[in-house]
Amino acid sequence: MTLALDRTETVVTQDIPAVAGADLRVPLVTGETIGYANLDHAASAPCLSAVRDAVDEFLPWYASVHRGAGFASQVSTKLYERTRGILREFVDARATDTVVFTRNTTDSFNLLARSLPKGTSVVVFDTEHHAALLPWRGPNVRRIQTPRTRLAAVSAVDSALAGCPEGPRLVVLTGASNVTGELLPIKEIAAVARRHGARIALDAAQLSPHRKISVRELDVDYVAFSGHKLYAPFGAGALIGRADWLRAAQPYLAGGGATKVVTGDAVVWNNGPERHEAGSPNTVGVYALGVACQTLSKQWDEVVEHETVLLERLRKGLAAVPGLTELSLFDAPVDRVGTLSFVLDGFEPGWVAAVLSAEYGIGVRDGAFCAHIATKRLIGEAGATGQQALRVSLGLGTTDEHIDRLLLALRQIVARGARWTYAKVDGRWAPADDPRELPEFLR
């Protein structure tokens, strides 16, 4: 069976925000071109069309913020500072919560880790993304194994906190797994944390593009997310939460913008979010992130429905692929976003990903997804071998044709393998004698 390269795509009909590159066509090793099926949103999401248009409109006005007397600087400063309120509203944060602009979620958690009071105990599941797993160091860090039920996960946090020494405590928790898409019991764990006088830091990198978040309803203290996963790939992120620890900490970076007064003998640092935003900020990225948050906030019902329909179609189809096993954190079904990982018996994930790209125009992710402990454990619990898996992640640019193409491709790969020859190049699978040409701007 050959792939129908020119068939008309059937798009899910909900009125959802448009993304740039929805009409992108990519070359195949067989000589044809095809509409790109981006099923790798969990790594980096495409740019919203509204974000692209807003950035284009803003760029002529772009100038330095906070310290410029020129009119363009005043415009840039107003946009930059106004975005703090937009992001606070996006996550329904408290009026007193501070908004610190960062590069991404990893940057946010490293900032928070640097800001913890001395002796703070940290409790974190070992299946977290590395951004939420690795910044915490020292004898008071307790990594706990994620149990197979949500109730047991709550109990595990309860027990870990009970064993912590006296002093400040912090629970670090992912909202949605970047490996399986499953949602963690945030509100229930927050309630346990409160009983132990602990604070909660929520990694919302994977949750924020898919679900409405309420800091107040979930009762968390900090939330971090990244623009590049939130349809604003311009290099900005945010850490939002209680100001006291951040104000008391030494500046994350030392430099201009973080200071009030500098003399030959001393420095007086700012107390607001600027304390941790030294250097010329990413004004364009911050503005793009704010526009993305505003755009999504207007259409959450449509966004969730779009994803729910596609995810059901995907999981039903994957269940019928011979030798395919989906990975999961929990034994019982739980609410989840449009991300899942699987192994395919007898096939190396990197090879399958290369075939999907080169012969079908499909982009998926292979590997351990910057969550090595989680991925390797789940592969073993699924009864499979190896340390890597394949991940499919849906988003606003996904259509039902993309899902159907993936399912067809997997069935064909299982039935008869590849139509091209592949070899490892620098440790990764790639088509041998790849005839595909790079786009003009890379030549």
Side-chain angles (χ1 to χ4, degrees):
M1 181 184 297
T2 59
L3 195 63
L5 300 180
D6 294 321
R7 68 171 274 192
T8 301
E9 293 189 2
T10 305
V11 182
V12 177
T13 57
Q14 285 87 357
D15 181 19
I16 57 173
V19 297
D23 57 352
L24 177 66
R25 296 184 69 82
V26 295
L28 304 181
V29 290
T30 49
E32 304 95 334
T33 63
I34 191 170
Y36 182 51
N38 180 2
L39 298 177
D40 195 20
H41 286 73
S44 283
C47 184
L48 284 177
S49 297
V51 170
R52 177 195 58 194
D53 294 344
V55 168
D56 284 346
E57 183 180 16
F58 169 56
L59 282 177
W61 294 92
Y62 168 72
S64 63
V65 300
H66 294 149
R67 298 174 294 281
F71 192 75
S73 289
Q74 295 176 38
V75 170
S76 295
T77 298
K78 187 174 183 64
L79 282 177
Y80 185 82
E81 290 301 330
R82 188 175 69 179
T83 302
R84 296 193 202 274
I86 291 171
L87 267 57
R88 188 181 290 110
E89 183 178 352
F90 179 68
V91 297
D92 189 29
R94 298 162 289 262
T96 55
D97 284 338
T98 192
V99 177
V100 181
F101 296 126
T102 63
R103 292 178 296 171
N104 45 45
T105 306
T106 301
D107 199 31
S108 294
F109 277 133
N110 276 271
L111 163 59
L112 183 58
R114 287 270 299 272
S115 303
L116 298 184
K118 186 177 180 179
T120 299
S121 297
V122 177
V123 173
V124 58
F125 286 116
D126 63 358
T127 49
E128 299 287 331
H129 185 282
H130 295 166
L133 180 70
L134 299 181
W136 327 102
R137 289 288 184 266
N140 290 339
V141 177
R142 295 172 179 252
R143 291 185 182 177
I144 54 179
Q145 182 170 327
T146 306
R148 294 294 303 180
T149 70
R150 286 165 57 93
L151 181 60
V154 177
S155 297
V157 173
D158 193 5
S159 298
L161 287 171
C164 289
E166 291 296 323
R169 298 169 181 179
L170 178 72
V171 177
V172 182
L173 182 65
T174 290
S177 168
N178 78 303
V179 180
T180 69
E182 292 164 294
L183 270 60
L184 279 291
I186 306 167
K187 195 170 183 178
E188 293 85 349
I189 289 176
V192 166
R194 292 291 177 244
R195 292 203 300 270
H196 291 277
R199 295 189 180 190
I200 298 280
L202 178 66
D203 175 358
Q206 298 295 336
L207 185 62
S208 58
H210 304 280
R211 293 287 193 277
K212 186 176 182 180
I213 297 172
S214 173
V215 164
R216 288 186 283 192
E217 183 179 334
L218 295 173
D219 195 21
V220 298
D221 300 275
Y222 304 94
V223 61
F225 52 87
S226 303
H228 76 100
K229 297 185 189 296
L230 199 59
Y231 305 97
F234 289 85
L239 174 66
I240 304 172
R242 300 193 183 278
D244 54 346
W245 286 2
L246 296 170
R247 286 175 179 166
Q250 286 296 305
Y252 186 43
L253 296 173
T259 60
K260 282 185 177 180
V261 178
V262 177
T263 68
D265 301 317
V267 178
V268 179
W269 303 102
N270 280 317
N271 285 324
E274 305 88 4
R275 183 182 186 87
H276 299 292
E277 295 175 355
S280 295
N282 180 5
T283 309
V284 174
V286 164
Y287 178 52
L289 180 56
V291 173
C293 291
Q294 286 182 311
T295 303
L296 290 174
S297 294
K298 296 174 183 176
Q299 295 180 269
W300 272 126
D301 290 343
E302 293 82 1
V303 168
V304 173
E305 183 180 0
H306 168 79
E307 181 180 299
T308 300
V309 170
L310 291 175
L311 182 59
E312 182 179 357
R313 187 187 194 101
L314 172 64
R315 297 190 73 203
K316 182 178 179 181
L318 290 178
V321 176
L324 188 148
T325 303
E326 184 180 334
L327 306 182
S328 62
L329 286 171
F330 302 117
D331 292 329
V334 300
D335 190 15
R336 62 196 305 153
V337 300
T339 296
L340 59 81
S341 298
F342 60 89
V343 289
L344 197 57
D345 188 31
F347 295 91
E348 187 175 336
W351 181 87
V352 175
V355 175
L356 290 173
S357 173
E359 299 183 25
Y360 298 91
I362 299 170
V364 298
R365 181 64 47 136
D366 65 281
F369 321 124
C370 291
H372 293 179
I373 296 174
T375 305
K376 294 172 185 177
R377 179 183 301 152
L378 295 180
I379 290 171
E381 290 177 351
T385 58
Q387 298 184 338
Q388 298 186 337
L390 286 154
R391 183 180 71 188
V392 176
S393 48
L394 315 180
L396 296 176
T398 307
T399 70
D400 53 2
E401 189 275 332
H402 295 162
I403 302 298
D404 293 345
R405 195 195 314 173
L406 172 69
L407 297 173
L408 171 63
L410 290 172
R411 291 195 299 268
Q412 290 185 343
I413 289 170
V414 170
R416 57 169 162 253
R419 292 174 287 169
W420 201 265
T421 301
Y422 294 82
K424 281 194 173 180
V425 179
D426 296 328
R428 290 193 60 83
W429 286 100
D433 300 318
D434 191 345
R436 296 173 296 173
E437 292 187 354
L438 295 171
E440 186 73 31
F441 61 82
L442 279 178
R443 294 178 200 169

